[in-house]
Amino acid sequence: MSPTAFPLHPGKHELPAVPDPAEHAARVRARHPGATLKHFAGIVIVYQAHVMEYAHRRYRPRLLNEWIRGDLRMFDHHGHTFGLCGGFGVGAPAAALVLEQLITLGATRFVTVGTAAALSPDLLPGTLVVCREALRDEGVSRHYLPPTASIRPSPDLTDHLVRTIRATRVPARSGPTWTTDAPYRETEAEVAQYGASGVLTADMEAAAVFAVAAYRAVHAAAVFAAADTLVNRRPHDTQTTQRALHAALPAAFSALLAASTAPHRGQ
């Protein structure tokens, strides 16, 4: 075992895990017989409490209590059922755990809606960024897939998300993100290097979400609202960021609906 290797155990990606997410589904169904998310058009995962509060006011979703480690709700819209998930914290491990639990209950399409820091000086607070690729600088994704520099989201779902985000009145772009577990260790050298190579944002979850989705053969996409900048530090524009996130939420549900009803082109 090399102290510089990661993960430490060689060939881990081809080995079965001891804990199985199916155990979680079995425990849920022991309390709630028939619990399933298979008929859902998709699930939007959020990280900010105010986005959940906005969704509660807009959609009046029903609580699915004790189904996952977090706040899972459902609502019907245009003849389809959608899920909304939040209240579980932030970061790659938290997002991966919840995603595994949702997948084992039958969900197959996900859009995450969160915030990110800008790496480009012209990316203003409140701009929505649809993620096209995530640099894997967190730890979770490397326990699911062999080492690579980056990972991409589901192409079909991402294309739908780009179209629905562009239909909003919020400034929007698409491009790569840098996913890192260490928000207080984002260095000037990294910001300069990644920004110069065209990476638009820094976030904490996207690479892990995409890796879990790829490993479990489901579909995931992500959109961020630029909340602050790592280029020229300045106070957060909280109101502008909140408005952008609130606009992204219905766009995410529209993308899931479009993906669920369109011909499938593959992962």
Side-chain angles (χ1 to χ4, degrees), residues 50-165:
H50 68 83
V51 182
M52 285 292 287
E53 293 165 1
Y54 172 77
H56 291 172
R57 295 193 301 270
R58 176 163 183 162
Y59 299 107
R60 303 294 180 185
R62 305 184 297 278
L63 178 65
L64 298 175
N65 195 26
E66 298 181 336
W67 282 31
I68 64 160
R69 181 178 292 184
D71 185 349
L72 177 61
R73 296 175 182 261
M74 63 174 286
F75 67 94
D76 296 320
H77 188 57
H78 294 311
H80 296 266
T81 302
F82 296 89
L84 175 71
C85 179
F88 55 85
V90 298
L97 185 149
V98 165
L99 190 62
E100 286 275 31
Q101 293 180 349
L102 293 167
I103 293 169
T104 197
L105 289 169
T108 60
R109 294 181 189 85
F110 305 89
V111 173
T112 69
V113 177
T115 59
L119 300 183
S120 172
D122 64 348
L123 187 63
L124 299 178
T127 303
L128 291 175
V129 179
V130 177
C131 184
R132 288 288 192 181
E133 182 179 12
L135 301 186
R136 298 171 62 187
D137 208 16
E138 39 62 69
V140 171
S141 69
R142 312 231 170 206
H143 292 272
Y144 281 84
L145 300 175
T148 57
S150 64
I151 185 170
R152 294 181 182 274
S154 168
D156 283 2
L157 185 53
T158 300
D159 287 346
H160 288 300
L161 185 58
V162 167
R163 286 191 285 271
T164 58
I165 289 294

Side-chain angles (χ1 to χ4, degrees), residues 170-224:
V170 177
R173 296 173 65 176
S174 63
T177 193
W178 165 38
T179 304
T180 172
D181 283 333
Y184 287 109
R185 287 296 301 148
E186 295 161 335
T187 66
E188 184 176 339
E190 291 169 304
V191 171
Q193 175 185 340
Y194 299 142
S197 65
V199 179
L200 296 179
T201 56
D203 81 295
M204 295 178 64
E205 298 92 10
V209 169
F210 299 160
V212 174
Y215 185 80
R216 299 296 182 190
V218 299
H219 307 278
V223 58
F224 318 116

Side-chain angles (χ1 to χ4, degrees), residues 1-10:
M1 179 172 64
S2 169
T4 60
F6 187 77
L8 294 177
H9 195 289

Side-chain angles (χ1 to χ4, degrees), residues 40-55:
F40 281 39
I43 294 177
V44 172
I45 297 174
V46 302
Y47 305 97
Q48 283 73 33
H50 68 83
V51 182
M52 285 292 287
E53 293 165 1
Y54 172 77

